Amino acid sequence: MSEDHTHVREFFGARAADWDRKFPDDGPAFARAVTESGLRPGERVLDAGCGTGRALPALRAAVGPSGTVIGADLTPQMLAAAREAGRGEAAALLLTDVARLPLRDGVLDAVFAAGLIAHLPDPESNLTELARVVRPGGRLALFHPVGRAALAARQGRELTPDDLRAAHNLGPLLSAAGWEMTSYTDEDDRFLALAARRR
């Protein structure tokens, strides 16, 4: 994805209204990924690149009423779609670039990011920014509701060794950004990489 935010906003803005209708069966996969991310009641979590907010209700359920859920996205239309779907009640919605978050160092317990990594203009720097706002020992969940091979087939492209989400690429990338990968799953029906913020 281009570093040009105008391009990103145009791409996702044009698709926001139909996004949930295009992927109507992803809800259980989101809920399962949130469960596996290990959130606890009272924790503070950011949904980075939250889009239409499909993960927000599950994140709210995981951290409970005493927890904090923030949904951040670069595209106003995506956040509007989240509000229209009633998901703004589960989280504070923030129009911002996840590469430059308006949050204090170490303020979060976890970051959940669905489909985000492929759209980061500078993955190492951007993942370092996510690490900045998470406390030492906090967690990162990189999720996609289909695996790498299924996504490549959907997009009509070959799966290549330089795929950023391949384990041999993602592990060192996360390590360089201040994370340690603790779990890696790449199946037809989901992708989930979990990492812990280094202490």
Side-chain angles (χ1 to χ4, degrees), residues 46-48 70-74 92-108 129-130 132-133:
L46 169 70
D47 186 351
I70 302 168
D73 204 273
L74 187 63
L93 298 180
L94 188 60
L95 179 65
T96 192
D97 181 358
V98 299
R100 288 184 295 279
L101 290 163
L103 299 172
R104 297 190 315 273
D105 293 0
V107 72
L108 300 174
E129 171 66 356
L130 295 180
R132 179 187 68 77
V133 298

Side-chain angles (χ1 to χ4, degrees), residues 8-187:
V8 174
R9 287 191 179 110
E10 287 175 354
F11 179 88
F12 286 104
R15 292 160 175 78
D18 294 322
W19 195 262
D20 288 354
R21 283 192 291 274
K22 188 174 179 183
F23 306 106
D25 302 321
D26 288 347
F30 272 83
R32 180 180 176 191
V34 169
T35 297
E36 292 183 20
S37 69
L39 289 167
R40 294 181 290 272
E43 289 196 317
R44 297 156 300 190
V45 60
L46 169 70
D47 186 351
C50 68
T52 61
R54 291 181 293 169
L56 296 177
L59 292 170
R60 170 53 66 196
V63 302
S66 64
T68 299
V69 180
I70 302 168
D73 204 273
L74 187 63
T75 307
Q77 296 94 323
M78 282 289 193
L79 294 178
R83 288 187 189 94
E84 288 167 16
R87 297 173 186 140
E89 298 170 10
L93 298 180
L94 188 60
L95 179 65
T96 192
D97 181 358
V98 299
R100 288 184 295 279
L101 290 163
L103 299 172
R104 297 190 315 273
D105 293 0
V107 72
L108 300 174
D109 297 293
V111 172
F112 184 89
L116 177 70
I117 194 164
H119 303 292
L120 296 176
D122 183 352
E124 183 178 329
S125 174
N126 302 154
L127 289 168
T128 299
E129 171 66 356
L130 295 180
R132 179 187 68 77
V133 298
V134 172
R135 63 170 173 78
R139 288 141 358 253
L140 171 68
L142 298 175
F143 168 70
H144 201 283
V146 297
R148 294 187 312 119
L151 182 61
R154 178 190 289 176
Q155 296 173 341
R157 59 178 174 83
E158 294 291 322
L159 191 59
T160 62
D162 63 349
D163 186 322
L164 197 59
R165 294 184 304 152
H168 64 267
N169 295 325
L170 187 59
L173 173 64
L174 287 168
S175 183
W179 302 95
E180 286 301 326
M181 192 157 65
T182 58
S183 174
Y184 182 89
T185 303
D186 182 19
E187 301 168 346

